[in-house]
Amino acid sequence: MQDTLIAESGDYSGIIELFRDGKAEHNDATLSALLGEDYRIKVEYLIGIGFLERVGSNYKIPQLYRSGLRVRQGKAFSVNDGQDEEDDED
């Protein structure tokens, strides 16, 4: 985690740290709250480096990075929020 993803992400390393101790699956609302108003630009970068992946209309942190950031399996949003009902399983 530290030697590859964080070291290679430069200015975005602080953004990756925002996910620490959180949940693995996010939607636009949780990413906007976490990353701020220009979250879409940040999300595209995080997808590009492999830290986030699209799953339907949601996003997941791959299993590879979860233990390094103490990210727990599950959704950071309520299924009742009208978002995709993707499985929590990985």
Side-chain angles (χ1 to χ4, degrees), residues 1-17 45-46 48-51 65:
M1 193 60 212
Q2 289 293 334
D3 294 339
T4 56
L5 185 68
I6 299 295
E8 299 288 327
S9 62
D11 293 342
Y12 279 82
S13 62
I15 293 169
I16 292 169
E17 286 291 333
Y45 176 80
L46 295 173
I49 63 170
F51 180 73
Y65 301 121

Side-chain angles (χ1 to χ4, degrees), residues 8-40:
E8 299 288 327
S9 62
D11 293 342
Y12 279 82
S13 62
I15 293 169
I16 292 169
E17 286 291 333
L18 294 173
F19 291 89
R20 184 175 295 281
D21 297 317
K23 295 284 192 145
E25 190 171 349
H26 292 267
N27 61 18
D28 284 322
T30 62
L31 290 171
S32 175
L34 187 65
L35 303 176
E37 64 183 54
D38 61 347
Y39 80 97
R40 291 178 196 264

Side-chain angles (χ1 to χ4, degrees), residues 19-89:
F19 291 89
R20 184 175 295 281
D21 297 317
K23 295 284 192 145
E25 190 171 349
H26 292 267
N27 61 18
D28 284 322
T30 62
L31 290 171
S32 175
L34 187 65
L35 303 176
E37 64 183 54
D38 61 347
Y39 80 97
R40 291 178 196 264
I41 295 167
K42 295 171 186 171
V43 166
E44 289 305 316
Y45 176 80
L46 295 173
I47 290 170
I49 63 170
F51 180 73
L52 285 178
E53 56 188 25
R54 281 191 181 95
V55 178
S57 62
N58 298 326
Y59 305 86
K60 280 189 179 181
I61 299 170
Q63 190 69 35
L64 174 66
Y65 301 121
R66 293 181 190 180
S67 65
L69 291 171
R70 296 186 305 268
V71 170
R72 299 175 311 281
Q73 180 175 321
K75 294 175 173 66
F77 55 92
S78 170
V79 176
N80 298 331
D81 290 343
Q83 297 294 323
D84 283 357
E85 293 188 32
E86 299 289 335
D87 290 337
D88 274 354
E89 75 180 61

